[in-house]
Amino acid sequence: MSTERVHRVGEEQAPGRWAGQGPPWRRWGAAPSGRLPWLSSLAVAVFQCVGTTFASHRQAERVDLDPLAWLLLVWGPAFLVIRHRYPRVTVFGTCAVVTAYLAAGYPYGPIFLSVVLACFSAVTSGHRRAAWSAVGLAWLAHALVTHWLYRWLPPGGDGAAGWWQEMGIAAWVLVVLALSELARLRREQLVRERVEREVAERRRADEERLRIARELHDVLAHSISVINVQAGVGLALLDQDPEQARAALTTIKGASKEALGEVRQVLDSLRTPGSAPRSPAPGLDRVPELTEQAAAAGLRVEVRTEGRRADLPPGADLAAFRIVQEALTNVIRHSEARCARVVLRYGANALRLSVDDDGPASSAAGGGRADTTSGGNGLVGMRERAAAFGGTVEAGPRPDGGFRVLARIPLPPEEAP
């Protein structure tokens, strides 16, 4: 997960994310974090000075460039140096500099470039009111100078400007503001998409952790339950019946080997995400193995299939297998029953499976069966597996005694018998 700070849409972004990337409007709108945009501001200053020099040759009626004019031409780009840290100060400062320059009667030229960049930076960083206010005041000041104050301001003998000229300038101002708003919207969209990607990645990581936790719980809980029961049998019969104790140890060896293999498979998928598993995931075709392991633990399991069997998708097949495995594990751990029944009913659009036992709760379980009905880890895992495919799991005591786990897993249309 990235450690970069996530910003809310519309707030000023850390400049470093956009520096040197994508189209020019993104590069003008940001700078590397902790650095000031000296080079771009210097380039604007050079461009304004050189461009105004050439433009002044065709404006003999305007005031000649003097030291104050050169100072104003450089002062605007100087504000651009702080445009990322203080965008509002920058946009008001550049507008004030340009207003003073035009009020002094100096030649028109590219001095407006500093205002355009300051306005762009302020809008894209979220300071829209400051940008609109500063540019609007600058236009009103220009209109005031060119229509009323020109009599007392240089150059001498200057006349009032035409209103069509003012409307043209206003149109250019609106174009600049509109482009800035479009850039802001695009930037906010990119930020939104980045946040959504990070949230999706975080959600996928959480789901993967939950999947791995369920797999490990199912594998270890079942195998360790069998090992625990067989270890007790082996210890009890070690002196009286060595052959029976040897059989118990053999069962322990087989269960531990299988558990290690499945745990290794889960961990391999964790180490190499995106790669195919080395062995296929278990499914209902491995239910006979569960019955053998349960028989080794002293539990006889009867399996019955009703309806025409359909091939389940791998994910649903694994979920059904794990539900049966967890239900049998609970019988071994929490019940005194010596017999359990597993029924697989393939219907028109769903697989219904049930696991029943007739025994009361084991005294060693300490009320574990009651905990199972109220939402222990095993039942939560079964419900989550079924819910992932739109199914349900119900578990609880039966009216005639014993315990029942009933699961329903919908079948895709092409898989329904």
Side-chain angles (χ1 to χ4, degrees):
M1 183 66 186
S2 175
T3 56
E4 297 178 6
R5 184 176 57 184
V6 177
H7 298 270
R8 291 190 296 272
V9 174
E11 290 184 348
E12 187 170 0
Q13 306 298 315
R17 280 199 67 85
W18 310 109
Q21 303 176 9
W25 63 263
R26 281 167 66 178
R27 294 197 294 272
W28 283 111
S33 179
R35 296 173 54 188
L36 297 175
W38 294 100
L39 292 179
S40 59
S41 302
L42 179 61
V44 173
V46 172
F47 181 78
Q48 287 191 169
C49 292
V50 174
T52 303
T53 300
F54 283 100
S56 64
H57 296 159
R58 299 182 179 180
Q59 302 179 55
E61 72 281 2
R62 304 292 290 179
V63 177
D64 294 334
L65 297 175
D66 55 19
L68 177 59
W70 294 112
L71 177 62
L72 293 174
L73 287 172
V74 175
W75 200 356
F79 275 108
L80 295 179
V81 175
I82 59 173
R83 66 180 183 269
H84 302 307
R85 297 184 180 179
Y86 307 102
R88 285 177 291 189
V89 174
T90 300
V91 70
F92 277 104
T94 52
C95 288
V97 168
V98 170
T99 300
Y101 176 89
L102 297 178
Y106 295 121
Y108 290 96
I111 190 173
F112 298 101
L113 180 60
S114 58
V115 174
V116 172
L117 295 181
C119 174
F120 185 89
S121 181
V123 171
T124 55
S125 62
H127 301 283
R128 304 169 58 200
R129 291 184 179 179
W132 284 79
S133 300
V135 175
L137 290 175
W139 180 81
L140 289 176
H142 179 265
L144 184 64
V145 168
T146 55
H147 289 275
W148 288 282
L149 300 180
Y150 67 91
R151 301 180 182 86
W152 302 280
L153 296 174
D158 193 13
W163 281 105
W164 284 110
Q165 178 183 347
E166 283 310 316
M167 293 300 102
I169 295 176
W172 278 108
V173 169
L174 292 177
V175 168
V176 170
L177 292 172
L179 292 177
S180 300
E181 291 290 342
L182 289 176
R184 178 187 62 83
L185 293 176
R186 176 58 178 165
R187 187 175 185 179
E188 290 181 357
Q189 180 183 0
L190 293 173
V191 172
R192 223 171 7 245
E193 292 174 354
R194 176 170 60 86
V195 172
E196 291 173 356
R197 283 195 303 269
E198 292 175 354
V199 170
E201 291 173 2
R202 206 159 46 237
R203 184 171 58 250
R204 284 194 297 269
D206 292 340
E207 292 173 352
E208 182 66 11
R209 282 195 297 270
L210 180 60
R211 183 190 69 82
I212 293 172
R214 282 200 303 258
E215 289 291 322
L216 292 176
H217 173 272
D218 293 344
V219 171
L220 296 179
H222 178 75
S223 300
I224 291 178
S225 296
V226 173
I227 291 172
N228 180 62
V229 172
Q230 291 300 310
V233 172
L235 288 174
L237 302 177
L238 184 60
D239 296 327
Q240 302 173 4
D241 192 347
E243 289 301 322
Q244 188 69 22
R246 184 188 300 275
L249 293 176
T250 302
T251 302
I252 290 174
K253 180 180 178 181
S256 61
K257 181 179 180 181
E258 181 179 356
L260 287 174
E262 294 196 27
V263 169
R264 187 179 296 111
Q265 179 180 345
V266 174
L267 295 181
D268 285 344
S269 66
L270 179 62
R271 294 191 187 100
T272 57
S275 62
R278 297 182 180 180
S279 60
L284 291 177
D285 57 343
R286 291 183 56 182
V287 168
E289 297 180 18
L290 295 180
T291 62
E292 293 177 2
Q293 294 174 358
L299 177 67
R300 184 169 58 89
V301 180
E302 299 175 359
V303 180
R304 187 172 76 253
T305 301
E306 299 178 358
R308 185 165 61 87
R309 181 168 181 175
D311 293 330
L312 298 176
D317 202 16
L318 173 62
F321 174 81
R322 293 302 188 197
I323 290 172
V324 174
Q325 183 184 49
E326 179 62 27
L328 293 178
T329 300
N330 287 338
V331 175
I332 295 173
R333 295 173 59 188
H334 304 301
S335 174
E336 294 182 357
R338 295 298 88 195
C339 180
R341 292 178 300 280
V342 177
V343 180
L344 305 176
R345 297 183 180 89
Y346 291 90
N349 53 14
L351 166 66
R352 289 176 172 82
L353 59 89
S354 61
V355 180
D356 293 75
D357 71 89
D358 299 328
S362 172
S363 58
R369 287 290 280 267
D371 294 341
T372 303
T373 63
S374 60
N377 289 333
L379 181 56
V380 170
M382 288 191 284
R383 284 174 173 165
E384 289 175 347
R385 287 187 181 279
F389 300 93
T392 58
V393 170
E394 299 176 1
R398 299 188 317 180
D400 56 347
F403 198 83
R404 167 174 291 175
V405 173
L406 181 62
R408 179 185 179 278
I409 299 179
L411 294 176
E414 63 273 12
E415 301 293 345

